[in-house]
Amino acid sequence: MSNRYIQLAFDGEKTEKTAIETGIPQGSPVSPILFLIYIRFLFEEVKDIRIRIPSYLDDIAILAKLESLENNCQILENIAKKLIY
């Protein structure tokens, strides 16, 4: 996790190498574990059986199936805000 660099390439052009000081490499075995720790509150807070959070490693889908479209949108919006902030 030290001495890591990134270099972007587009249409044959390359950027200068830039040191990476945070994060983990893509494909790291620890990535799914850290992701699930980050979103663990979703599994604890959502008790309603009409709301499902199926997941596989670091891929999730949040489904809300309530009577009204407005309620579904509000629930999904609240969950999205918690994930972002």
Side-chain angles (χ1 to χ4, degrees):
M1 301 298 281
S2 61
N3 296 323
R4 296 183 301 137
Y5 296 87
I6 187 170
Q7 183 177 38
L8 302 177
F10 298 101
D11 295 329
E13 306 268 332
K14 291 183 181 179
T15 64
E16 295 292 322
K17 288 184 179 180
T18 304
I20 300 175
E21 299 176 9
T22 61
I24 56 175
Q26 183 175 356
S28 171
V30 75
S31 178
I33 296 165
L34 294 176
F35 178 75
L36 290 174
I37 290 170
Y38 177 74
I39 66 163
R40 73 188 175 284
F41 72 88
L42 291 178
F43 300 97
E44 296 167 355
E45 290 182 11
V46 178
K47 304 290 185 204
D48 195 320
I49 61 170
R50 295 169 296 174
I51 301 169
R52 301 280 185 206
I53 306 176
S55 68
Y56 178 76
L57 297 178
D58 60 353
D59 294 320
I60 66 167
I62 302 168
L63 310 171
K65 185 179 178 184
L66 302 173
E67 296 293 323
S68 77
L69 178 62
E70 292 80 17
N71 286 346
N72 288 332
C73 290
Q74 187 63 52
I75 287 169
L76 295 173
E77 184 178 331
N78 290 341
I79 290 171
K81 284 180 182 177
K82 288 181 181 180
L83 288 170
I84 293 170
Y85 301 112

